Amino acid sequence: MTAAEILLGDVIKQIGDLRGSSQFEFGQRADDVIGSAIKVMGPGAFLEILPLNLLPSDLATSADQRGRAYLLPLLIEHITNTSLQHFIDYFVPLSESLFELRTHAENAGKMVEVKIWEACIEQVWSCLKGYCEACVDVPTAFTPTFAQLLTNVLYNQTSLRPQVFAALRTLVQTTKALGTASTPAEQMESTFGISPAHAIESLGVLKRMAGDMLSVLFNVYSDVPVDKRDVIGEVIFLWLSIASSEEILTTYGKVAALLRETLSVSPPNPTALSSCHTMLDLLNIIVPLLQPSTVEELFAYVLDAETPLLENPDTTTQKKSYRILSNLISSAQVLKRAGPDEFNRVLERLESAGQRSLSGAKHDRLRFLKEVTGMMPQTSVYHIPLVLPEVVLATKEFNEKARSEAYDCLVSMGEKIKAGGTLKPPGDSETMDEDGTADRANIETYIKLAASGMAGKSPHMISAAVTAISRILFEFKDSVSPAMQSDITSTVLVFMASTNREIVKSALGYFKVAVSSLPLSAVVPHLGKLVPALLAWTHDKKNPFKTTVLRVFSQMIKRYGFDPVWEAGSGDENAAVLTYVRKRSERARKKRLAKANEKGDGAESDEPQPRVSTGNAFEDVLYGSDSDTSDNETEAEQRRKAKIAVSTAAKAKQREPRLRMDDDVPLDLIHGTAAHISTATGVKRRKPGQDAARFKADGETGKMVIEDEDSQIHAAEEDEEDVGDDVAGAAYMDQMVSVDGFTRTPTGAVKFHKNTKKRRAMENDDGDDEVADAGAKDKKSRKTRVIKLGREFKAKKAGGDVKKPGQQDPFAYLSLREMAGKKKGSHVKYSITGRR
């Protein structure tokens, strides 16, 4: 026994008894103490002091007869660096017993008990992760028998897979860290209770069992849905990382053979496609651990034109194949020592496969192209113009990841071209121009190649070319001459007059970049044409480009000043927009100064606060909002937000807890305060006796006088006689329903009412409910009027009768003539009041 067990055993017992009491107020403090005891003593010694008592048999034999299911979450959180054998001896039999109870409850139809036992089973197996963390007895506890138990759980109990996967991952991570650590032996033994030799032995046990565990994990990986494979893939990679080279090579051979087998199925069926996707995912996991010779073999197999992978009609197959190629370059460095011929072969294969590339695989294809471009020698840059159109079009892809990869690929190609070289293929005697300057690789030539798309026929290609030029010019503006920048601006300015919104959107994006990033000489000379072109898109409030134009003007005024912008657009009919933008900027500057003065930091700078960056400078310029635009909203928008804020604050204040006071009960602030705390939103509570004010009282005796129904009806009729007729309302109703009334048609013509029996009946209506229907051929019977005998004696509130002075007693004075039966053709029915 340890010192903690000897000294704190009785204390832990008492704390556990207090924690199990329903009236104990400091449960969280007790949980902290119990958790520390679990960590120090270990679960074995702790459960001897405070057993769980989850089973009915445990409650029958236990001395305290108290269940402690609340200990399971504490055990899950605090178990660490202990013996795995205790889990096998204690929790595995407990799990089997709980599963039997669950089965009995399910057979008996007790679904609530089924849920309870299932929750207990999941919590029991969640404790396994703590037992596997820095386990002290891996060589003796992690035996083939226990591994077989885990296999059965993975195959048969799908709800327990997450717990087992987490345990296996923790076991490999901690054992590998201890087995490969360079910590001194004394420090390791004092901290973890494990010697370095024991840690190496534990790691060797896991290495010997890696092959069998990988086979089980591969089978489960194939059975799990695609969206839940990430955790299993991580576990597989960890077990592969401790396996021997021979085991990894054997595993790779099996997966590659299954992939070839599934690809040979023609035509491909859903089962073969699913198996192909699984094998590609497994290969992607194995790639970082393969030997160089195996890596080159896999790279050649995936890239081979005879292998139906890069040109497969299935989008998922293409995507996963390009992903493997990218990982082979980035992780395994497959092309690190390749020569120009090898790069040329890879680039030529990419060019041929691009003709059948699917949209869903663009992201991974562009990533692979970016990796290849970054590693290619300068003698192979002539391949860039061949794949550039595909990258330019990808800037307009719907997928955000594909667009981001396209931008990165444009930058990678620009860096490679900027380093020099020639864009003319070997053996090509023709030049792109007379002096051969267009054959030399530089940024201006690169921009000309990208700008060739602006001569395309489709608006999509033109828009993509403008967007691509914006990205290239933003990145390499220092390598472009001012004359060429000015030429590009004048060229893009032409597209502002286009009627195609896709083209105009890209042009607006270019000018956002140009105004904020390019030198003054690239934009200021074109303000005379640019400002009117931008003002033309502000006349329609429904125009989606109006906000973008206002942001461009705001940047112009901030950078070039208001006078040049106003001079360029003062003659336009929409020139008032410029004044509006200037005033908004002034208001924003004053607000910033006011806020700075309120903070008392003495800052008198009117510079706007920097916007929060998204991590990509180009996207911040292209898609980000201007500070003036974001700070200066319309007054209506500000009022709307202020109203919402006030309403929200009022509702939040109503939901705040408050003390509820009763007028007839003194408020006790010492005992029972919780009973007076309320979160109600001010609803008035009914006070005793408040309804009594509605009744009359006898002046002599003070008793309440409850009037009968007849007197109340008579009083109501007298009140109605005192009220004057509403002349205007009566005239309106007379016009709408009377015989002499009229209505107007939608054209304004007067249409008089027809003189029908129904209108005459409505006009002569004396308040009865019966109205004759003149349009029906057969006469409908009038509604039967029910007369309840004895209603004059019925009490208003109570269920009995009331004696009235001067009248007969309300017992059974009913006329036999009235109750003998109704006459033929009579529409009157008699009933006794209060009869059930």
Side-chain angles (χ1 to χ4, degrees):
M1 296 179 66
T2 62
E5 299 176 42
I6 298 173
L7 298 175
L8 300 178
D10 296 336
V11 176
I12 296 302
K13 176 66 175 176
Q14 294 178 2
I15 293 176
D17 294 339
L18 291 174
R19 176 63 177 80
S21 176
S22 59
Q23 299 179 352
F24 186 63
E25 299 180 0
F26 305 101
Q28 182 61 41
R29 299 291 182 88
D31 289 344
D32 296 339
V33 177
I34 292 173
S36 300
I38 294 171
K39 188 178 295 185
V40 174
M41 294 182 179
F46 177 82
L47 291 176
E48 290 292 335
I49 300 173
L50 290 177
L52 290 174
N53 293 338
L54 296 180
L55 303 176
S57 58
D58 296 337
L59 293 175
T61 58
S62 177
D64 52 7
Q65 295 184 353
R66 182 178 297 175
R68 299 184 180 90
Y70 67 88
L71 290 178
L72 284 174
L74 298 177
L75 290 168
I76 295 171
E77 184 178 356
H78 295 93
I79 291 178
T80 181
N81 192 208
T82 186
S83 173
L84 180 61
Q85 188 65 39
H86 180 263
F87 180 86
I88 299 173
D89 297 337
Y90 185 88
F91 282 104
V92 171
L94 176 61
S95 174
E96 295 174 353
S97 301
L98 292 174
F99 187 78
E100 291 179 1
L101 292 175
R102 177 204 174 280
T103 304
H104 294 329
E106 187 176 11
N107 294 336
K110 301 177 181 179
M111 301 311 298
V112 176
E113 291 188 13
V114 170
K115 295 295 183 182
I116 294 174
W117 297 128
E118 286 179 351
C120 291
I121 293 171
E122 291 181 2
Q123 288 184 331
V124 164
W125 278 95
S126 296
C127 296
L128 179 59
K129 178 183 177 181
Y131 282 96
C132 293
E133 185 176 2
C135 181
V136 299
D137 59 348
V138 173
T140 57
F142 200 82
T143 60
T145 304
F146 182 64
Q148 183 64 36
L149 173 65
L150 297 180
T151 301
N152 294 332
V153 173
L154 290 175
Y155 282 155
N156 302 323
Q157 303 296 328
T158 57
S159 60
L160 300 179
R161 285 177 177 174
Q163 290 82 355
V164 177
F165 287 142
L168 292 175
R169 177 178 57 190
T170 303
L171 178 65
V172 176
Q173 286 177 339
T174 56
T175 306
K176 183 179 178 181
L178 292 174
T180 57
S182 58
T183 308
E186 296 81 6
Q187 183 179 355
M188 182 178 292
E189 290 182 2
S190 62
T191 305
F192 300 101
I194 303 173
S195 63
H198 184 79
I200 295 174
E201 183 184 0
S202 300
L203 185 59
V205 171
L206 296 183
K207 286 184 177 181
R208 289 191 295 271
M209 301 186 64
D212 297 333
M213 291 302 301
L214 285 172
S215 300
V216 175
L217 292 174
F218 282 171
N219 293 334
V220 178
Y221 188 87
S222 304
D223 186 52
V224 172
V226 178
D227 56 341
K228 298 181 180 180
R229 289 180 175 179
D230 293 340
V231 177
I232 313 177
E234 185 179 354
V235 176
I236 290 175
F237 180 79
L238 287 172
W239 280 89
L240 282 170
S241 65
I242 64 173
S244 61
S245 302
E246 294 78 8
E247 187 66 37
I248 295 175
L249 185 60
T250 303
T251 303
Y252 164 75
K254 293 179 181 179
V255 175
L258 289 174
L259 177 61
R260 293 187 180 93
E261 183 180 348
T262 55
L263 290 175
S264 62
V265 177
S266 182
N269 51 60
T271 305
L273 283 176
S274 177
S275 179
C276 178
H277 300 164
T278 302
M279 295 304 111
L280 289 172
D281 288 336
L282 291 175
L283 285 176
N284 204 10
I285 295 172
I286 302 173
V287 160
L289 305 172
L290 293 177
Q291 297 296 326
S293 58
T294 309
V295 166
E296 294 177 359
E297 176 188 347
L298 178 60
F299 187 81
Y301 174 74
V302 178
L303 202 63
D304 191 1
E306 297 181 359
T307 305
L309 287 175
L310 298 185
E311 299 175 351
N312 197 290
D314 180 53
T315 303
T316 306
T317 302
Q318 277 195 21
K319 179 169 59 177
K320 295 181 183 297
S321 301
Y322 280 113
R323 193 171 299 169
I324 290 176
L325 293 175
S326 300
N327 290 341
L328 285 171
I329 293 180
S330 60
S331 301
Q333 300 292 326
V334 67
L335 293 178
K336 187 175 182 179
R337 294 177 297 273
D341 296 337
E342 182 68 19
F343 273 99
N344 293 337
R345 186 180 66 84
V346 172
L347 292 170
E348 289 173 0
R349 179 72 182 97
L350 274 177
E351 295 166 12
S352 61
Q355 299 175 359
R356 300 183 62 180
S357 176
L358 301 176
S359 178
K362 283 292 183 183
H363 169 233
D364 296 284
R365 175 178 166 83
L366 291 170
R367 179 190 169 197
F368 175 56
L369 184 58
K370 180 184 67 176
E371 298 286 349
V372 173
T373 304
M375 298 178 66
M376 71 164 57
Q378 293 302 126
T379 57
S380 300
V381 294
Y382 65 89
H383 288 281
I384 291 179
L386 302 178
V387 295
L388 182 59
E390 178 185 359
V391 181
V392 170
L393 284 173
T395 59
K396 302 296 292 182
E397 282 287 333
F398 180 77
N399 190 325
E400 182 181 358
K401 293 182 179 180
R403 293 198 307 270
S404 179
E405 287 293 344
Y407 292 144
D408 295 342
C409 195
L410 286 173
V411 175
S412 178
M413 290 179 174
E415 294 288 353
K416 187 60 64 174
I417 289 181
K418 183 180 178 181
T422 178
L423 298 177
K424 184 175 68 172
D428 189 0
S429 59
E430 297 182 0
T431 59
M432 300 175 67
D433 57 359
E434 295 180 357
D435 55 359
T437 56
D439 293 336
R440 292 193 295 269
N442 53 59
I443 294 299
E444 294 190 358
T445 304
Y446 182 45
I447 292 178
K448 291 178 182 179
L449 292 174
S452 61
M454 290 193 292
K457 296 182 179 180
S458 65
H460 187 73
M461 184 64 199
I462 298 173
S463 174
V466 174
T467 304
I469 291 175
S470 303
R471 183 66 183 96
I472 297 171
L473 199 59
F474 177 81
E475 189 71 25
F476 304 102
K477 55 181 177 294
D478 297 334
S479 302
V480 182
S481 63
M484 188 170 188
Q485 293 179 3
S486 180
D487 293 341
I488 295 174
T489 302
S490 62
T491 303
V492 177
L493 183 57
V494 176
F495 294 111
M496 286 298 299
S498 175
T499 57
N500 187 277
R501 293 181 177 273
E502 185 178 8
I503 297 176
V504 175
K505 182 179 180 181
S506 298
L508 287 174
Y510 170 82
F511 285 112
K512 287 188 69 175
V513 173
V515 171
S516 61
S517 303
L518 296 185
L520 302 182
S521 59
V523 182
V524 173
H526 305 280
L527 288 179
K529 296 181 179 179
L530 176 59
V531 174
L534 291 173
L535 289 174
W537 290 96
T538 61
H539 65 282
D540 189 1
K541 293 183 179 180
K542 297 181 180 179
N543 195 327
F545 300 146
K546 182 177 180 179
T547 304
T548 305
V549 171
L550 293 180
R551 292 171 182 171
V552 174
F553 279 138
S554 179
Q555 287 288 345
M556 281 185 179
I557 295 173
K558 184 188 303 182
R559 192 172 185 199
Y560 309 142
F562 179 73
D563 293 337
V565 179
W566 175 257
E567 183 180 354
S570 59
D572 193 274
E573 59 181 355
N574 297 314
V577 174
L578 300 177
T579 306
Y580 168 72
V581 174
R582 181 180 61 82
K583 291 181 178 179
R584 289 202 315 172
S585 301
E586 288 295 327
R587 285 196 297 266
R589 187 182 64 83
K590 292 178 181 179
K591 287 182 179 180
R592 286 193 297 269
L593 291 176
K595 289 181 180 180
N597 294 332
E598 289 178 0
K599 292 180 181 179
D601 54 3
E604 297 295 336
S605 175
D606 59 349
E607 291 296 326
Q609 296 295 328
R611 298 186 301 270
V612 179
S613 175
T614 61
N616 190 319
F618 176 72
E619 292 186 356
D620 290 341
V621 173
L622 189 61
Y623 303 114
S625 62
D626 180 69
S627 58
D628 292 342
T629 306
S630 59
D631 294 340
N632 293 280
E633 300 162 327
T634 60
E635 287 77 2
E637 184 70 13
Q638 292 178 353
R639 287 195 299 269
R640 186 184 66 83
K641 290 187 177 182
K643 186 181 295 184
I644 293 176
V646 171
S647 176
T648 304
K651 291 181 180 179
K653 187 174 181 180
Q654 289 178 353
R655 289 192 295 267
E656 291 179 354
R658 56 176 61 87
L659 288 175
R660 186 181 66 245
M661 299 180 62
D662 294 333
D663 296 338
D664 53 346
V665 179
L667 181 61
D668 187 359
L669 295 176
I670 300 178
H671 300 92
T673 309
H676 296 277
I677 296 177
S678 173
T679 57
T681 57
V683 180
K684 294 183 179 180
R685 301 176 66 241
R686 182 181 178 273
K687 297 180 180 180
Q690 65 180 1
D691 292 336
R694 297 186 301 178
F695 298 97
K696 296 180 180 180
D698 191 348
E700 298 179 357
T701 61
K703 296 181 179 180
M704 288 188 301
V705 177
I706 301 176
E707 299 178 348
D708 59 353
E709 294 181 356
D710 290 343
S711 60
Q712 292 181 1
I713 294 174
H714 181 68
E717 291 177 353
E718 290 180 352
D719 293 341
E720 290 179 359
E721 291 178 358
D722 295 338
V723 179
D725 294 337
D726 188 355
V727 179
Y732 174 76
M733 292 300 299
D734 184 59
Q735 176 185 343
M736 295 300 295
V737 302
S738 67
V739 177
D740 299 331
F742 65 90
T743 57
R744 291 185 179 273
T745 62
T747 59
V750 176
K751 181 180 180 181
F752 292 97
H753 294 161
K754 294 182 179 180
N755 187 6
T756 59
K757 292 182 64 177
K758 183 176 181 179
R759 292 194 181 278
R760 290 195 299 271
M762 292 176 64
E763 191 174 359
N764 299 326
D765 188 11
D766 57 353
D768 297 336
D769 293 332
E770 299 85 18
V771 178
D773 188 0
K777 294 183 179 180
D778 299 332
K779 293 183 179 180
K780 296 182 179 179
S781 60
R782 291 174 294 174
K783 293 183 179 180
T784 302
R785 185 161 56 94
V786 179
I787 298 178
K788 291 187 177 182
L789 302 177
R791 65 184 183 279
E792 63 271 16
F793 302 105
K794 185 178 182 300
K796 181 178 180 182
K797 296 290 184 180
D801 298 331
V802 179
K803 286 186 178 182
K804 295 183 179 182
Q807 295 186 9
Q808 56 188 357
D809 293 339
F811 295 121
Y813 300 105
L814 298 178
S815 173
L816 293 178
R817 178 181 59 82
E818 294 178 346
M819 298 302 298
K822 64 179 182 178
K823 298 180 180 180
K824 185 177 181 180
S826 174
H827 297 283
V828 180
K829 179 180 179 181
Y830 295 93
S831 176
I832 299 176
T833 302
R835 186 181 63 179
R836 297 180 179 178

